[in-house]
Amino acid sequence: MPASRLVVLVSGSGTNLQALLDAIDAHPGGAEGFGAEVVAVGADRANIAGLERAEKAGIPTFVCPVKDYGSREEWDAALTEATDAHAPDLVVSAGFMKIVGKNFIDRFGGRFVNTHPALLPAFPGAHGVRDALAYGAKVTGCTVHFVDSGVDTGPIIAQGVVEIRDGEDEAALHERIKEVERQLLVDVVGRLARHGYRIEGRKVTIQ
Ligand code: GRF
């Protein structure tokens, strides 16, 4: 079977993207053995490490900053077309810090995966790590899920648990979550691509 085509969306350091690239590279069977290849990397801003990582790996990139468009809808339409131009089987939001719109979800719903640094449905939104700490939670973690029209509300594919240490700050906790998150994302994307999957209501089954 040919490798699934992945478009990865990033906004920052891109260590989750790098984990995917490294896992595909390190697989004895290459992209075909892993089941997926990254065919393009998109971002909502220029000059970020995530884009540099893609360029270094020789992967095409595109950038769609919200401020370049007259409205959020126009931005969403442009992001949808830029992503679709690479004919993805799966789109992976790996630290992409924008909420996409209806157009994007209509096009890629059911094949758009996000990783979130908390145990959903607890602590959705842009500050999942900070919010878990502020709440006094004792465990948190990360969630890989399909994206629907809500904010971090789509069907859950897999989760990883991280214990919160006394006195730990947001940066230290986020770093420990990201260690788990990178492995989880690589594992999930590989399994989705190799085995196929079903989404029934909120339940995701990898076949
Ligand atoms: C991840 O923790 C992701 O869940 C979050 O931002 C982080 C991205 O990290 N929303 P990186 O850019 O992949 O290093």
Side-chain angles (χ1 to χ4, degrees):
M1 227 177 52
S4 291
R5 298 173 62 83
L6 306 180
V7 170
V8 180
L9 302 179
V10 297
S11 294
S13 62
T15 64
N16 280 281
L17 163 67
Q18 191 67 55
L20 277 168
L21 295 174
D22 291 348
I24 294 166
D25 242 24
H27 196 286
E32 253 182 58
F34 180 80
E37 64 177 324
V38 180
V39 295
V41 172
D44 62 326
R45 60 199 80 178
N47 305 315
I48 53 171
L51 288 172
E52 271 170 40
R53 292 176 191 276
E55 280 151 22
K56 202 165 158 214
I59 295 167
T61 61
F62 57 91
V63 181
C64 294
V66 174
K67 62 172 170 38
D68 286 5
Y69 299 89
S71 67
R72 195 75 186 200
E73 288 70 31
E74 283 171 46
W75 169 76
D76 188 51
L79 182 72
T80 303
E81 292 318 319
T83 302
D84 210 23
H86 299 279
D89 297 302
L90 283 174
V91 181
V92 180
S93 158
F96 186 63
M97 300 306 284
K98 286 282 179 302
I99 306 296
V100 300
K102 184 173 171 349
N103 201 53
F104 198 91
I105 297 293
D106 285 351
R107 189 81 56 96
F108 301 112
R111 53 196 176 110
F112 181 24
V113 172
N114 179 48
T115 175
H116 179 75
L119 292 175
L120 295 171
F123 313 119
H127 302 292
V129 180
R130 187 195 302 175
D131 293 346
L133 267 179
Y135 198 84
K138 299 298 182 196
V139 295
T140 185
C142 48
T143 302
V144 179
H145 65 97
F146 284 107
V147 181
D148 66 9
S149 57
V151 177
D152 300 324
T153 52
I156 292 172
I157 310 168
Q159 296 184 297
V161 175
V162 174
E163 284 193 24
I164 296 177
R165 294 176 181 157
D166 286 346
E168 191 168 38
D169 68 9
E170 183 183 350
L173 176 58
H174 198 174
E175 212 33 64
R176 289 199 304 116
I177 291 172
K178 282 173 67 168
E179 281 170 27
V180 177
E181 191 177 17
R182 290 190 278 262
Q183 283 183 19
L184 191 72
L185 183 68
V186 164
D187 175 65
V188 165
V189 169
R191 288 194 295 124
L192 291 173
R194 285 191 299 275
H195 304 302
Y197 59 89
R198 282 195 321 273
I199 307 172
E200 288 153 318
R202 292 209 54 84
K203 295 266 189 271
V204 179
T205 310
I206 298 181
Q207 283 146 349

